[in-house]
Amino acid sequence: IADFMVPGADPRIYEEIADMSQLQPTIEEYLGEYNADSKQPMPLVMFMDAIQHVARITRVLRQPKGNILLLGVGGSGRQSLTRLATFMCDYKIFGIEITKGFGMNEWRESLKEVLLYAGIKAQPVVFLFSDTQIVFEAMLEDINNVLNTGDVPNIYAVEDTETIMTTCKQDCVRRRIQPTKLNIFAQYVARVMANIHLVLAMSPLGEAFRNRLRKFPSIVNCCTIDWFMEWPQEALHSVATRSLSEEDLKLGDENAHLPSCVTFFKDAHVYVARRSEAFKAELGRYNYVTPTSYLELLATYKQVLGLKRDEVGTLKNRLQVGLDKLISTATQVEALQVKLTEMEPVLIKTQGEVEAMIVRIDADKKDAAATQEVVAAEESSAREKEAETQAIADDAQRDLDEALPALEEAVKCLNSLKKSDIDEVRTMGKPPAGVKLTMEACCIMFSVKPEMEKDPANPGKKIANYFKSAQKEVLSLGAKLIDKMKSYDKDNIPTKIIAQIAPYIDMEGFMPAVIEKASKACTAMCMWVRAMHKYHEVSVMVEPKKKLLAEATESLAVTQAALAEAQGKLNAVMAKIADLEKNFNEANAKKEQLKNDVEECAARLERAEKLIGGLGGERTRWTESCGTLGVAYDNLIGDSLLSAATIAYTGPFTPNFRQVMTKHWQEQLTELALPHTDGCDIRQTLADPVAIRTWTICGLPQDASSVENGIIMSRARRFPLLIDPQGQANRFIKNMGKDLALAQNGIEVTKLTEKNFLRTLENAVRFGRWVLLENVGKTLDAALEPLLLQQKFLQGGTEMIKIGDSTIPWNDTFKFFMTTKLSNPHYAPEVCVKVSLLNFAITPVGLEDQLLGVVVVEERPDMEEKKNSLVIANASMKKELKEIEDTILFKLSNSTGNILDDHELIETLASSKKTSTEITAKVAEAEITEKEIDESRELYRPVAFRATILYFSIVNLSVVDPMYQYSLQWFTALFVAAIRLAEKADTLDERLDILNKFFTYYVYVNVCRSLFEKDKLLLSFLMTIKILDGDGEIDPVEWRFLISGKTVESVTLDNPAPEGAPSGWIDGRMWSEVCAISGTENFKGFAKDFATYIDEWRKYFDHVEPHKVSLPSKWEFSLNSFQKLCVLRALRADKIPDGVMNYVVEKVGQRFIEPPPFHLASCYKDSSNLTPLVFVLSKGSDPTKAFNIFCQEMRFDRKVKALSLGQGQG
């Protein structure tokens, strides 16, 4: 039942959901809208279990006074689903942010803001509060008050009270209640209670939760409880399927391996949860597997798979390209040799042809030179005649140029004439004198005869009337008249016409300016007539010059013809020479090309020999590597699964548990038929030899567990929190931080107790430095949460993160490490999901290597120094070798065209290979030397082995009493002191025996000083058992029986003399232990034989000192001393201390059961200026007198100062 199935509905209808198939799409639609609006989107997978939680939270929030308590481990989705449910209800959500210096004042201000929002604005609001944000228990008291009454005493300031009174007074008026302060505030509280919804996310683990429920009952009474249990199989399946399907991971053909991968993820998650329970049962260590761990597993798998595919794919491609180039080069060599053999004869022949051409060209050039002289003389004569002809032409042209402007002006005027202008003149009845005069001139020019009319002034005579003739024959042409004038043959005007027109030219009345007054059309005609006359006069003057020009031109043509003939001959000769030179150039170019080809071919052969000689030896290895990498690429699907599971889950586990888990996952890969490498593990898949050597130099122990820790640190997305009781991880990280090749900007070391540790973190994030946070306790500062969760966001295109109350730009070179000295810390799930928890506790193998180095430094410092130098040199050289090979492959794979033409590349490759060969030889030589040194160092391993056994003997004493704590640094200093104090010997074997015996007793003496008397025999026994176990003399099954009285297999026989029966003396415990030990290999038939010799065993049981008497029957001779202790435990457990004492004396000597008396001088001798002596006193003891006497003996009594740290005196 829900009211959110119709997004945006108003009002919302609370109804049953009939179609469940619509539920998931609706929730996912809400989630998509939330992610689109939020700065921090939530990539959630809405499976049915999560949808049910969202529906529950939504249902509670929609109810008045609806508050909810979400119970589950950290990382189960409580806060994410609350934010989604709040968004679906369209409410505002509030939460607190723990910052630097966060105190009760800040808490009260945040809480007051929420209360005022609910009461003043009267809007529904959700307050999300997690138990990880509890800085002070008083915060829960305020939460309890809000849940119970809606108010927190004394939280409001005066101005807040005034705002409340002003806002809520109207509620009293509306309800007809007296608006007193008390009534108004009651209305405000009612508003708060109606609108505020508290969501408390808490973990049910630990005492703290139970205590809080007892102290603050409203957390349960006023809240609806929703339990977040572990994810069901359906949730694991859907989340994995969704995660792997978001992008194409190419999990086989058409993602055929996807279902198997999902099955692996589900099995891994459930299996680790089971192993965590065994981890708790066997070792008392806690590890939590949460949904967040599962999500981290999925994200890690995709990261590892992509990373390894890029790495393997790139390397394979480079090797393949390099191999192809080598094969191509080898193929080209034979072809180049054949080509070179063929080209050399052709080059010799072509060279001879070119030399013959040179002789012919020289002869033809001499002939051409003679012809060229003749042509030059004729050409000079032609140029002179051409100049004379041009001068005549220029003179004639100058005369013509005088008439041309008038002609052009006339033509221009004609162009401006229109037919209407001509028609106007034609229609004149009595034309002006200018018009008549112009028409007369035009008629003369066109040879039009005038009409003869009677002369009115002289009767009997006739006068010529040109105007009428012009009207009929000239003006009647209209527009054609203009064209006729333009096309008039001005070069052939008859002399008669010129003679007739000459008088008109001289008339003042026939000037254009005068005619223009009479008619526009006549003006143009006048100008045209005058221009024709002028042109004719100039033509008459130019005519003799034209004739002279024609004669000169004709003479020039003859000269030019002769010149052309000579030039033709010259051109023919020059063409022949050019043709010869062309052929010569072609032949010479061919010869040069052949020569270059021969040289290039020879150079290619030389470069090919260099390339093959330098890299030819790599061909076989690269071929094998390509095949291996091809298989490895396909196997990455399974290999990455196991590596991702190791990174996500195995960090907190001890080496034995890790091995069991890895083996299980390997079997799971085989069962699911997933492609994987046989025996794959995280070291085989993700280890980088160069990086591991660098880590080793920085102090990382070389045992498998430590190397795995180093890989997980480098690959995990979350910042590491290292369980480091011996401090070796701390030293390792500090040494790495000093190496600028690893930490470019150095490292900062800080502690949670330092006031400015957040400031240190802020600066480190900003400038990309490493940070080591030391001495972390069982909890982490809440202000670290944004950093641990890496809550980065974009602001102005830059990645930012908020630390405390500061927003800092994110630098990708920043790294964060945390270490704790707690040997078995119990971190809450909320902490585990935020960090990558790694167990860096020292292992026997790692400690043995460290102590071997210590003993060799003391015994053979020269050899250890040489060893360390060789390790560093070898690491450097192997790193350089790897870089050279990467460079060779990179250059080969990125070369274009024919590789044999790249002279620089070939030289670089040859030089690189030469350097590589030299380094390889040095590495081989150094490895031989290192092996010899290692063989010498191995001679001292028995001492390191004994010391390792002793350390793990005493380090577990903390189980007996928490006060018994022994650091590795103290133990190492003790070891060094013992080596220096032990007697010298002539032979190495004697020296080793002396060292082992001396140090064993030296440890016993120093540890005994710090033990209660009752525990000293236990120390002796533990040391004895561990030493014998190291020598293989202790059966684990028998040792387990001695401790617990249990074995894996037990026989079933009836008690031959049960207690309570007549003459019965064997109780149930005794007989069960006899049957239990009879199931072991060395006690076969013991219970049956016991029943047979029941009377002898009764004597053994009744003896006052059974630990000293012989066993009945064959068992006295078939059992060793330890096995006799097992019999003593079964029958007379009360005598075990005496039996243990005898056993210690027998195996290691009497002195190990005689604790040395307290002697202050000896204690002083074993201490140093950096190791204080601390006296742990019991009632009635006072070492002051003994201390003062010792000071006098040391002549130090006047320099001693006493300081009391009692109450009020510190």
Side-chain angles (χ1 to χ4, degrees):
I1 303 176
D3 63 353
F4 52 73
M5 289 303 293
V6 182
D10 189 18
R12 296 191 177 198
I13 301 174
Y14 188 66
E15 58 186 358
E16 182 180 0
I17 301 172
D19 187 2
M20 296 298 289
S21 63
Q22 294 299 316
L23 185 57
Q24 183 173 354
T26 303
I27 299 292
E28 288 181 344
E29 182 181 346
Y30 279 113
L31 178 62
E33 292 177 4
Y34 176 87
N35 289 338
D37 296 340
S38 175
K39 287 184 178 180
Q40 295 179 342
M42 302 182 297
L44 304 179
V45 178
M46 302 311 300
F47 47 86
M48 189 51 64
D49 190 60
I51 291 172
Q52 290 175 357
H53 285 298
V54 171
R56 291 190 196 105
I57 298 171
T58 306
R59 188 181 304 120
V60 173
L61 295 181
R62 294 286 294 168
Q63 296 173 2
K65 301 182 181 180
N67 305 302
I68 189 167
L69 172 62
L70 307 179
L71 293 179
V73 298
S76 53
R78 300 166 301 174
Q79 298 188 48
S80 299
L81 296 183
T82 299
R83 289 188 174 89
L84 177 59
T86 305
F87 177 79
M88 292 167 62
C89 294
D90 200 20
Y91 292 172
K92 186 169 183 178
I93 189 168
F94 276 86
I96 65 170
E97 193 171 284
I98 306 299
T99 59
K100 182 169 52 183
F102 188 88
M104 284 302 295
N105 291 334
E106 289 76 16
W107 158 250
R108 288 288 181 90
E109 284 298 319
S110 299
L111 187 59
K112 181 174 71 175
E113 182 184 359
V114 180
L115 296 175
L116 289 173
Y117 185 89
I120 301 298
K121 294 189 177 181
Q123 295 291 326
V125 60
V126 173
F127 183 61
L128 176 59
F129 183 72
S130 170
D131 55 359
T132 60
Q133 298 172 325
I134 299 175
V135 182
F136 311 99
E137 289 296 314
M139 297 166 70
L140 281 177
E141 184 177 352
D142 293 340
I143 292 290
N144 188 73
N145 288 333
V146 173
L147 287 170
N148 199 22
T149 64
D151 184 30
V152 177
N154 303 320
I155 194 173
Y156 299 110
V158 176
E159 56 271 19
D160 299 324
T161 306
E162 292 176 356
T163 305
I164 291 170
M165 296 299 151
T166 305
T167 306
C168 298
K169 184 176 182 179
Q170 55 187 343
D171 290 359
C172 290
V173 175
R174 193 181 303 113
R175 290 179 172 79
R176 298 181 180 179
I177 301 173
Q178 186 69 24
T180 63
K181 284 188 176 182
L182 199 61
N183 289 340
I184 293 174
F185 193 77
Q187 295 303 312
Y188 167 75
V189 171
R191 278 194 182 191
V192 172
M193 293 288 285
N195 289 301
I196 195 167
H197 302 279
L198 270 68
V199 179
L200 307 179
M202 293 191 170
S203 172
L205 302 175
E207 284 291 329
F209 178 68
R210 288 190 285 273
N211 294 333
R212 287 163 181 168
L213 291 187
R214 285 195 295 269
K215 291 180 182 178
F216 312 109
S218 293
I219 293 177
V220 174
N221 297 338
C222 300
C223 290
T224 302
I225 298 177
D226 184 13
W227 282 90
F228 279 70
M229 309 301 290
E230 63 182 21
W231 278 1
Q233 289 287 323
E234 175 260 339
L236 297 175
H237 185 276
S238 60
V239 169
T241 304
R242 172 78 172 272
S243 178
L244 297 182
S245 303
E246 287 177 345
E247 51 189 288
D248 185 11
L249 296 178
K250 299 177 181 177
L251 302 175
D253 297 333
E254 298 181 357
N255 272 352
H257 295 303
L258 178 60
S260 297
C261 290
V262 172
T263 303
F264 180 90
F265 286 130
K266 289 160 50 181
D267 174 81
H269 186 75
V270 175
Y271 176 70
V272 174
R274 292 201 308 268
R275 295 306 298 166
S276 297
E277 294 172 1
F279 196 47
K280 170 67 170 62
E282 294 179 23
L283 301 177
R285 290 179 172 272
Y286 292 88
N287 179 57
Y288 295 102
V289 181
T290 67
T292 300
S293 307
Y294 189 65
L295 298 176
E296 191 68 25
L297 169 64
L298 297 173
T300 302
Y301 175 67
K302 292 195 286 187
Q303 176 187 350
V304 170
L305 183 62
L307 184 72
K308 288 302 295 181
R309 277 182 171 170
D310 288 345
E311 179 184 321
V312 175
T314 301
L315 181 57
K316 180 187 173 186
N317 291 338
R318 285 184 177 180
L319 283 173
Q320 189 61 55
V321 171
L323 191 58
D324 292 343
K325 294 286 175 71
L326 285 180
I327 294 172
S328 171
T329 302
T331 306
Q332 289 183 57
V333 167
E334 187 176 345
L336 287 172
Q337 289 174 338
V338 173
K339 185 178 179 181
L340 184 61
T341 305
E342 292 174 351
M343 285 193 300
E344 285 179 345
V346 177
L347 177 62
I348 295 171
K349 181 182 176 183
T350 305
Q351 195 165 357
E353 292 174 353
V354 169
E355 290 173 356
M357 283 185 178
I358 292 174
V359 174
R360 288 174 55 193
I361 289 171
D362 289 342
D364 289 340
K365 280 186 175 179
K366 290 180 181 179
D367 295 341
T371 306
Q372 194 168 9
E373 289 180 2
V374 174
V375 171
E378 293 183 356
E379 189 173 4
S380 176
S381 175
R383 284 201 190 95
E384 290 178 1
K385 289 186 177 182
E386 186 177 4
E388 293 174 359
T389 303
Q390 186 63 41
I392 295 171
D394 291 343
D395 186 34
Q397 187 62 41
R398 278 195 298 272
D399 293 339
L400 287 173
D401 288 345
E402 294 180 10
L404 289 179
L407 182 62
E408 289 173 358
E409 185 68 23
V411 171
K412 184 177 179 182
C413 290
L414 289 175
N415 289 335
S416 65
L417 277 181
K418 297 179 182 177
K419 180 177 178 297
S420 57
D421 296 333
I422 296 173
D423 291 341
E424 180 186 348
V425 176
R426 184 170 63 84
T427 56
M428 286 182 179
K430 292 183 178 180
V435 173
K436 287 182 179 181
L437 192 60
T438 303
M439 288 301 102
E440 287 179 16
C442 288
C443 288
I444 292 171
M445 292 301 294
F446 288 112
S447 300
V448 175
K449 294 182 178 180
E451 290 187 6
M452 302 303 294
E453 293 181 350
K454 293 180 180 180
D455 186 0
N458 296 309
K461 291 185 179 179
K462 293 184 177 183
I463 59 175
N465 189 344
Y466 281 93
F467 186 75
K468 287 185 177 181
S469 298
Q471 284 179 321
K472 294 177 181 179
E473 296 185 31
V474 178
L475 296 176
S476 62
L477 295 175
K480 292 180 180 179
L481 175 62
I482 299 172
D483 296 334
K484 191 174 182 179
M485 288 180 175
K486 289 179 181 179
S487 60
Y488 191 81
D489 187 7
K490 58 183 177 295
D491 293 319
N492 296 303
I493 301 175
T495 307
K496 179 180 176 183
I497 292 176
I498 291 300
Q500 290 178 350
I501 206 69
Y504 290 91
I505 299 302
D506 296 332
M507 292 181 184
E508 292 182 3
F510 194 63
M511 301 297 289
V514 177
I515 300 300
E516 187 177 9
K517 296 176 183 179
S519 170
K520 176 183 177 183
C522 291
T523 305
M525 294 177 188
C526 173
M527 292 175 67
W528 176 76
V529 171
R530 296 182 71 85
M532 290 300 103
H533 182 267
K534 178 67 174 177
Y535 186 84
H536 176 76
E537 287 183 344
V538 172
S539 295
V540 171
M541 291 174 61
V542 168
E543 189 62 29
K545 295 180 181 179
K546 282 185 178 181
K547 288 181 180 179
L548 183 61
L549 177 63
E551 292 174 358
T553 303
E554 184 178 352
S555 175
L556 178 62
V558 173
T559 304
Q560 286 181 336
L563 177 62
E565 183 179 357
Q567 285 179 336
K569 292 178 181 179
L570 179 61
N571 289 340
V573 174
M574 296 304 293
K576 183 179 179 181
I577 293 173
D579 189 51
L580 285 172
E581 287 185 340
K582 179 183 176 184
N583 293 336
F584 168 75
N585 290 336
E586 290 177 355
N588 195 48
K590 182 180 178 182
K591 183 198 77 169
E592 291 298 326
Q593 183 62 44
L594 279 170
K595 184 179 178 183
N596 292 338
D597 289 347
V598 169
E599 291 176 354
E600 183 181 353
C601 191
R604 282 184 176 179
L605 274 173
E606 182 182 354
R607 288 195 286 269
E609 289 171 359
K610 277 187 179 180
L611 184 62
I612 293 174
L615 300 179
E618 305 291 339
R619 180 171 175 176
T620 305
R621 187 170 66 85
W622 287 357
T623 303
E624 294 174 356
S625 296
C626 280
T628 305
L629 288 172
V631 176
Y633 189 87
D634 297 334
N635 289 339
L636 283 176
I637 294 175
D639 294 352
S640 298
L641 280 172
L642 195 145
S643 297
T646 303
I647 292 172
Y649 288 131
T650 64
F653 290 94
T654 55
N656 292 337
F657 273 81
R658 290 187 186 183
Q659 291 171 8
V660 172
M661 295 165 74
T662 300
K663 185 177 180 181
H664 171 80
W665 287 329
Q666 290 169 349
E667 294 171 353
Q668 188 74 3
L669 290 174
T670 304
E671 290 177 13
L672 295 172
L674 285 165
H676 67 283
T677 306
D678 291 337
C680 63
D681 57 21
I682 188 173
R683 283 170 292 161
Q684 182 177 333
T685 305
L686 296 179
D688 180 0
V690 174
I692 291 175
R693 280 192 292 270
T694 304
W695 296 341
T696 303
I697 292 170
C698 290
L700 180 72
Q702 299 182 32
D703 58 284
S705 179
S706 297
V707 172
E708 287 178 4
N709 287 337
I711 295 172
I712 294 173
M713 284 172 57
S714 65
R715 300 288 186 175
R717 186 190 63 83
R718 296 173 293 186
F719 295 125
L721 171 53
L722 311 176
I723 301 171
D724 185 33
Q726 289 82 26
Q728 56 179 359
N730 194 287
R731 292 190 296 273
F732 163 57
I733 293 169
K734 287 179 179 177
N735 290 335
M736 282 204 303
K738 295 174 184 176
D739 188 348
L740 295 180
L742 299 173
Q744 301 174 4
N745 301 310
I747 187 170
E748 297 282 349
V749 180
T750 185
K751 298 179 180 65
L752 285 172
T753 53
E754 292 183 4
K755 293 182 179 179
N756 296 323
F757 89 94
L758 278 180
R759 179 69 58 82
T760 302
L761 276 175
E762 291 172 9
N763 291 333
V765 171
R766 179 182 284 110
F767 299 114
R769 287 197 286 267
W770 288 12
V771 172
L772 172 60
L773 185 64
E774 296 180 314
N775 299 342
V776 172
K778 291 184 179 180
T779 59
L780 292 174
D781 195 309
L784 291 174
E785 182 167 343
L787 182 63
L788 296 178
L789 297 178
Q790 299 183 38
Q791 294 176 342
K792 297 176 282 187
F793 57 91
L794 284 177
Q795 180 175 307
T798 303
E799 273 192 325
M800 310 290 286
I801 191 169
K802 192 167 185 179
I803 302 175
D805 50 4
S806 303
T807 301
I808 309 296
W810 180 264
N811 192 315
D812 287 333
T813 58
F814 166 76
K815 285 189 179 181
F816 187 37
F817 304 91
M818 295 160 281
T819 61
T820 177
K821 289 186 176 180
L822 301 175
S823 58
N824 185 16
H826 180 188
Y827 288 111
E830 291 77 12
V831 174
C832 295
V833 300
K834 296 172 188 173
V835 299
S836 182
L837 193 61
L838 292 178
N839 190 340
F840 241 104
I842 197 163
T843 62
V845 175
L847 179 59
E848 187 177 327
D849 284 338
Q850 289 185 40
L851 295 180
L852 178 61
V854 171
V855 70
V856 174
V857 164
E858 293 298 322
E859 295 289 298
R860 293 284 304 278
D862 57 326
M863 185 167 65
E864 188 64 14
E865 183 180 355
K866 191 173 183 182
K867 162 73 175 176
N868 292 334
S869 300
L870 281 174
V871 168
I872 295 172
N874 279 351
S876 176
M877 288 190 291
K878 287 180 179 178
K879 181 180 180 182
E880 190 175 354
L881 275 177
K882 181 72 168 56
E883 291 173 351
I884 288 173
E885 183 171 17
D886 289 344
T887 301
I888 290 173
L889 290 172
F890 176 79
K891 288 183 177 294
L892 281 175
S893 60
N894 287 276
S895 64
T896 55
N898 191 332
I899 190 173
L900 297 180
D901 293 335
D902 195 336
H903 175 71
E904 183 179 351
L905 174 61
I906 297 294
E907 290 298 326
T908 303
L909 293 179
S911 173
S912 298
K913 184 58 185 176
K914 182 180 178 183
T915 305
S916 174
T917 305
E918 293 173 356
I919 293 174
T920 303
K922 290 180 181 178
V923 168
E925 182 181 347
E927 286 180 344
I928 293 172
T929 306
E930 187 176 359
K931 186 177 180 181
E932 293 173 353
I933 293 174
D934 286 340
E935 290 174 355
S936 300
R937 292 175 84 248
E938 285 298 312
L939 298 175
Y940 291 90
R941 187 167 290 277
V943 177
F945 179 69
R946 171 65 65 86
T948 302
I949 288 173
L950 294 175
Y951 176 77
F952 283 99
S953 299
I954 65 172
V955 78
N956 292 325
L957 288 175
S958 59
V959 178
V960 178
D961 192 302
M963 189 182 73
Y964 300 159
Q965 302 281 348
Y966 304 95
S967 72
L968 180 59
Q969 290 176 321
W970 169 84
F971 185 81
T972 305
L974 200 67
F975 186 48
V976 172
I979 294 172
R980 294 174 179 173
L981 293 173
E983 293 180 9
K984 305 299 180 183
D986 296 331
T987 64
L988 180 61
D989 291 338
E990 291 178 2
R991 174 65 175 168
L992 297 180
D993 186 57
I994 291 172
L995 285 175
N996 278 340
K997 290 180 179 178
F998 183 83
F999 183 60
T1000 302
Y1001 186 68
Y1002 197 60
V1003 169
Y1004 172 73
V1005 169
N1006 278 273
V1007 174
C1008 267
R1009 292 194 186 115
S1010 60
L1011 300 182
F1012 294 116
E1013 198 66 32
K1014 65 182 180 66
D1015 296 325
K1016 292 182 179 180
L1017 179 59
L1018 176 62
L1019 170 67
S1020 301
F1021 184 56
L1022 280 176
M1023 290 175 63
T1024 304
I1025 291 295
K1026 289 291 184 181
I1027 291 170
L1028 294 175
D1029 185 47
D1031 295 337
E1033 296 182 18
I1034 302 296
D1035 187 326
V1037 177
E1038 295 170 357
W1039 171 238
R1040 180 181 178 184
F1041 173 80
L1042 184 63
I1043 295 173
S1044 64
K1046 305 291 184 182
T1047 59
V1048 178
E1049 297 180 2
S1050 177
V1051 300
T1052 304
L1053 288 174
D1054 292 334
N1055 190 338
E1059 192 175 32
S1063 69
W1065 56 277
I1066 305 175
D1067 60 22
R1069 181 200 65 79
M1070 290 169 55
W1071 185 245
S1072 68
E1073 291 189 4
V1074 168
C1075 291
I1077 199 172
S1078 298
T1080 63
E1081 183 67 27
N1082 295 315
F1083 284 86
K1084 292 290 185 182
F1086 179 74
K1088 186 176 180 181
D1089 196 66
F1090 187 92
T1092 303
Y1093 297 96
I1094 187 69
D1095 295 333
E1096 284 80 354
W1097 284 108
R1098 175 64 186 265
K1099 293 177 183 178
Y1100 176 85
F1101 175 77
D1102 291 338
H1103 201 282
V1104 178
E1105 295 181 329
H1107 57 284
K1108 293 183 179 181
V1109 302
S1110 301
L1111 298 180
S1113 184
K1114 63 177 182 179
W1115 302 107
E1116 173 64 26
F1117 308 102
S1118 62
L1119 300 181
N1120 60 32
S1121 301
F1122 182 78
Q1123 292 160 352
K1124 290 177 181 178
L1125 272 180
C1126 294
V1127 175
L1128 184 65
R1129 177 206 161 84
L1131 300 180
R1132 290 288 300 274
D1134 59 308
K1135 288 296 182 179
I1136 280 291
D1138 296 327
V1140 164
M1141 192 176 296
N1142 288 344
Y1143 185 72
V1144 171
V1145 172
E1146 176 189 345
K1147 295 298 181 181
V1148 294
Q1150 180 74 24
R1151 60 180 181 171
F1152 282 90
I1153 62 168
E1154 297 173 352
F1158 175 74
H1159 188 227
L1160 191 55
S1162 299
C1163 296
Y1164 177 78
K1165 185 178 179 182
D1166 292 336
S1167 68
S1168 70
N1169 59 336
L1170 300 177
T1171 309
L1173 293 176
V1174 179
F1175 297 94
V1176 180
L1177 306 180
S1178 57
K1179 289 183 179 180
S1181 62
D1182 186 0
T1184 307
K1185 183 178 179 181
F1187 176 74
N1188 290 331
I1189 293 172
F1190 177 69
C1191 290
Q1192 292 174 3
E1193 292 174 356
M1194 298 295 293
R1195 298 180 180 179
F1196 227 84
D1197 50 322
R1198 294 184 180 180
K1199 297 181 181 179
V1200 172
K1201 292 184 179 179
L1203 175 65
S1204 175
L1205 295 180
Q1207 185 175 0
Q1209 301 179 47

